[in-house]
């Protein structure tokens, strides 16, 4: 608790020290980690007046595609995935470090494992691949320790600031309790969320650092504009070091100079450091673990401890120089100490519970019961009629992906479902179009129940079914499952976005096709989830326009994985998947320097298809007519559709589907939960992104069908 208080004081400017998160890229050897911790403890005492040192203790490793995923996931480093053993090792090490007086910081990559270890953590991070993920922002809002959000892998600063604003707000979401039961968690918000600058990689693949004065000032100004207290931590590794561990001292020296010159926005520094410099390769199941070099990283390369000490010395000098600029000199506050009321205090159950309350669930308002998936399955069962609709639709989509069906897959429907009555009316209209164009188009209704938010706002029918901020999630899940059942009984297959990683246990058996959105395509837990989903799934390119992350995601999801999840009985469990070979890429455009750009042109589609082939995948590309491809203007979707139709008619390689945002009426209306009078909402009009109306949609479907027929005729003539 004292450690967290100190970090919070530094972030607020009440303590003029820097905090330094320093340690191995990832922990793979507990013995070596303890040896490193002993050295770090000495350094911490030496620099205590100027630096507050936290050991980097990362147990989970995000992978671009596949590889060793950390001590929790694979503690024996051999691909045996003994996750229970990994969790025991992780918690055991954290307990040992706390007993040594060494503070620990971790990355929260998985959303369930924090229940096993978060009470022992002083500081946490959300990585570059998950900063945009809504489930990670919600998680951070409930973590009892300060949490830093890294800028995106593209270098995007805005998403980290958005994440801070979101993490500081209250949320309600699906999680698990310490008893291992699925539940609904309601948080207060975490006021100690801050930004971590780690550099980025541009579209050409070049690394670009962002630890310079201009970048730091830019973040400071952006945070002030949002009403957030400016607080920045600089990661000396990753893109800021051009992925070369020997460049970390250069970054650290620059930070020390900025601090010495009086910069007060920089609150902390991250360093990847180990006993031995460099790194070594580890291939689980192939590498002989006994031959690994002791004290050397098996993931990213690290600097050794002697170089680390030199960096700490320069950072401490920078803090002292900054302090000397002030008059009168600001004295670094001493860390508070938790003292027993009595020297002979007995550590009975009651006192232990009191101590535990200081370290855990500080930002949790309440935890409420969640109906187990199995109960909802019995309440709204999967009948033979429903199963037939889902199975036939999935089979048709798989045939399209394999090139055995020359139709185009069309995912069409509202941006998000907020009114089930209007959704059913839309479905009746769509069913007629399905019948009309069944020879040329395989039409699936877009039925999105979860809405990712940039910061805050209505998060969808599951999260807030009454649209008023009451967060009746059990009701939302029932409504969602009931609607999917009704659609399947009508013979209208449904496609959803998988935003939350637990809700699929309630809905997935009724889903014919799924999507992973632009904000979560890089998220490892979402890639793992899709490896288990029984339906075909598309991955969108990133919000920056990066298509490589979507191709990587397809490759990762096609592989087997082992991860934490829940069963249909609502119990936490370890899931072992086979991998999902029915995945594809979705191109939705991107944004650069606040400008939208499109990626539905024939050249881009061809390049992505070729890259998929080079990665050993079938070239399957879907075009999203909305989002950045339409410059966020629903009126532009028909023109995008015309351009895509021409590509289809011209036999464009890899082009197998389109997505359309469509509703009964054109446009959108504003909804502010708790403020908008829901009874005044216009029927059949989107409350999220603007959609085109159904009449316009019919024209697009006709144009797509004609393009398919033209392509078919051209193929027959050759």
């Amino acid at each position: 608790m004292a450690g967290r208080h100190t970090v919070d004081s530094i972030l607020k400017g009440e303590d003029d020290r820097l905090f330094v998160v320093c340690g191995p890229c990832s922990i793979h050897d507990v013995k070596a980690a303890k040896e490193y911790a002993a050295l770090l403890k000495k350094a911490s005492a030496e620099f205590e007046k100027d630096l507050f040192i936290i050991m980097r203790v990362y147990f989970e490793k995000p992978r671009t595609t596949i590889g060793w995923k950390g001590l929790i996931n694979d503690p024996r480093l051999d691909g045996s995935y003994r996750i229970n053993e990994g969790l025991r090792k992780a918690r055991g090490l954290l307990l040992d470090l706390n007993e040594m007086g060494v503070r620990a910081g971790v990355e929260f990559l998985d959303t369930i494992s924090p229940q096993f270890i978060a009470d022992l953590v002083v500081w946490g991070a959300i990585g570059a691949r998950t900063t945009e993920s809504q489930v990670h922002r919600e998680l951070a809002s409930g973590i009892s320790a300060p949490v830093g959000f890294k800028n995106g892998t593209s270098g995007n600063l805005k998403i980290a600031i958005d994440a801070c604003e979101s993490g500081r707000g209250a949320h309600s979401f699906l999680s698990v309790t310490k008893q291992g039961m699925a539940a609904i968690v309601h948080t207060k918000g975490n006021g100690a969320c801050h930004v971590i600058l780690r550099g980025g990689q541009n579209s050409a693949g070049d690394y670009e650092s962002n630890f310079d004065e201009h970048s730091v000032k830019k973040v400071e100004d952006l945070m002030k504009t949002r009403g957030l207290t400016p607080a920045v931590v600089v990661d000396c590794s990753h893109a800021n070091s051009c992925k070369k561990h020997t460049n970390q001292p250069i970054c650290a020296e620059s930070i020390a100079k900025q601090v010495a010159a009086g910069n007060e926005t920089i609150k902390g520094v991250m360093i990847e450091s180990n006993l031995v410099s460099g790194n070594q390769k580890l291939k689980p199941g192939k590498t002989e673990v006994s031959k690994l070099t002791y004290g050397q990283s098996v993931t990213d390369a690290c600097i050794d401890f002697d170089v680390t000490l030199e960096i700490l010395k320069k950072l401490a000098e920078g803090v002292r120089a900054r302090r000397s600029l002030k008059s009168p000199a600001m004295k670094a506050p001493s860390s508070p100490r938790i003292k027993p009321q009595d020297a002979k205090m007995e550590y009975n159950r009651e006192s232990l519970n009191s101590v535990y309350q200081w370290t855990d669930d500080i930002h949790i308002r309440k935890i409420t019961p969640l109906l187990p998936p199995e109960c909802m399955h019995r309440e709204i069962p999967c009948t033979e009629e429903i199963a037939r609709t889902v199975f036939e639709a999935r089979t048709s989509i798989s045939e399209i992906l394999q090139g055995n069906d020359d139709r185009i897959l069309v995912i069409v429907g509202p941006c998000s479902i907020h009114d089930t009555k209007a959704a059913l009316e839309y479905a009746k209209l769509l069913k007629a179009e399905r019948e009309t164009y069944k020879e040329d188009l395989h039409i699936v209704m877009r039925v999105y129940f979860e809405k990712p938010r940039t910061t805050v706002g209505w998060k969808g029918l599951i999260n807030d079914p009454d649209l008023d901020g009451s967060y009746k999630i059990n009701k939302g899940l029932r409504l969602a499952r009931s609607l999917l059942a009704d659609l399947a009984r009508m013979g209208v297959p449904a496609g959803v976005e998988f935003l939350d990683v637990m809700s699929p246990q309630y809905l997935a058996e009724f889903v014919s096709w799924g999507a992973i959105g632009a904000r979560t395509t890089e998220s490892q837990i979402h890639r793992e989830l899709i490896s288990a989903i029984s339906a075909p799934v598309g991955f969108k390119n990133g919000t920056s326009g990066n298509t490589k992350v979507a191709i990587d995601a397809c490759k990762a999801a096609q592989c087997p994985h082992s991860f934490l999840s829940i069963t249909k009985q609502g119990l936490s469990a370890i899931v072992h998947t086979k991998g999902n070979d029915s995945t594809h890429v979705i191109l939705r455009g991107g944004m650069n320097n606040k400008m939208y750009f499109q990626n539905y042109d024939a050249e881009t589609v061809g390049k992505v298809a070729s890259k998929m082939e080079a990665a050993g995948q079938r070239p399957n590309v879907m075009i999203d007519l909305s989002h950045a491809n339409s410059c966020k203007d629903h009126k532009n979707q028909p023109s995008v559709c015309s351009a895509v139709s021409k590509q289809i008619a011209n036999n464009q390689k890899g082009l197998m589907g389109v997505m359309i945002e469509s509703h009964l009426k054109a446009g959108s209306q504003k909804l502010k939960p708790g403020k908008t009078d829901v009874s005044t909402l216009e029927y059949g009009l989107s409350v999220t992104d603007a959609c085109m109306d159904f009449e316009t949609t019919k024209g697009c479907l006709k144009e797509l069908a004609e393009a398919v027929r033209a392509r078919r005729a051209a193929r027959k003539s050759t």
Side-chain angles (χ1 to χ4, degrees), residues 157-330:
L157 302 175
K158 180 179 177 295
I159 61 174
I161 298 168
D162 290 342
C164 285
E165 185 173 351
S166 180
R168 294 184 184 192
H171 294 276
S172 297
F173 55 92
L174 302 182
S175 187
V176 297
T177 66
K178 288 184 174 59
Q179 293 73 33
M181 300 289 293
I184 302 168
V185 173
H186 307 268
T187 70
K188 301 175 184 176
N190 185 344
C193 290
H194 51 279
V195 170
I196 304 174
L197 298 180
R198 49 86 74 197
Q201 195 169 16
N202 63 27
S203 57
D206 299 321
Y207 292 115
E208 296 179 340
S209 63
N210 59 10
F211 59 82
D212 57 285
E213 292 180 43
H214 173 73
S215 296
V216 174
K217 184 66 168 62
K218 184 177 180 180
V219 175
E220 177 185 335
D221 291 342
L222 287 170
M223 293 189 79
K224 284 181 177 178
T225 300
R226 298 281 190 90
L228 304 173
T229 303
V232 170
V233 172
V234 177
D235 180 355
C236 293
S237 187
H238 299 98
N240 273 337
S241 66
C242 296
K243 294 289 281 187
K244 292 182 179 179
H245 63 292
T246 52
N247 288 337
Q248 287 192 75
I250 298 172
C251 176
E253 186 172 355
S254 172
I255 299 309
K257 288 179 179 178
Q258 290 182 56
V259 171
N263 186 295
E264 295 187 356
T265 298
I266 299 173
K267 306 295 185 181
V269 177
M270 295 184 71
I271 305 167
E272 287 193 329
S273 157
N274 213 331
L275 298 174
V276 179
S277 66
N279 66 338
Q280 54 194 321
K281 289 185 177 180
L282 169 64
K283 294 184 177 180
K286 295 181 180 180
T287 301
E288 190 173 334
V289 178
S290 63
K291 292 185 178 180
L292 290 173
T293 301
Y294 180 78
Q296 188 177 50
S297 174
V298 297
T299 48
D300 291 352
C302 301
I303 56 175
D304 63 26
F305 202 79
D306 288 338
V307 176
T308 304
L309 285 174
E310 290 300 314
I311 289 177
L312 294 175
K313 181 179 178 181
K314 288 181 179 179
L315 291 171
E317 289 171 351
V319 171
R320 288 195 294 274
R322 181 176 66 183
R323 194 178 289 144
S324 68
L325 297 175
K326 298 181 180 181
S327 182
M330 180 179 177

Side-chain angles (χ1 to χ4, degrees), residues 143-156:
I143 294 293
S144 300
V147 174
F149 287 93
K150 288 194 175 183
N151 62 250
T153 52
S154 66
N156 190 323

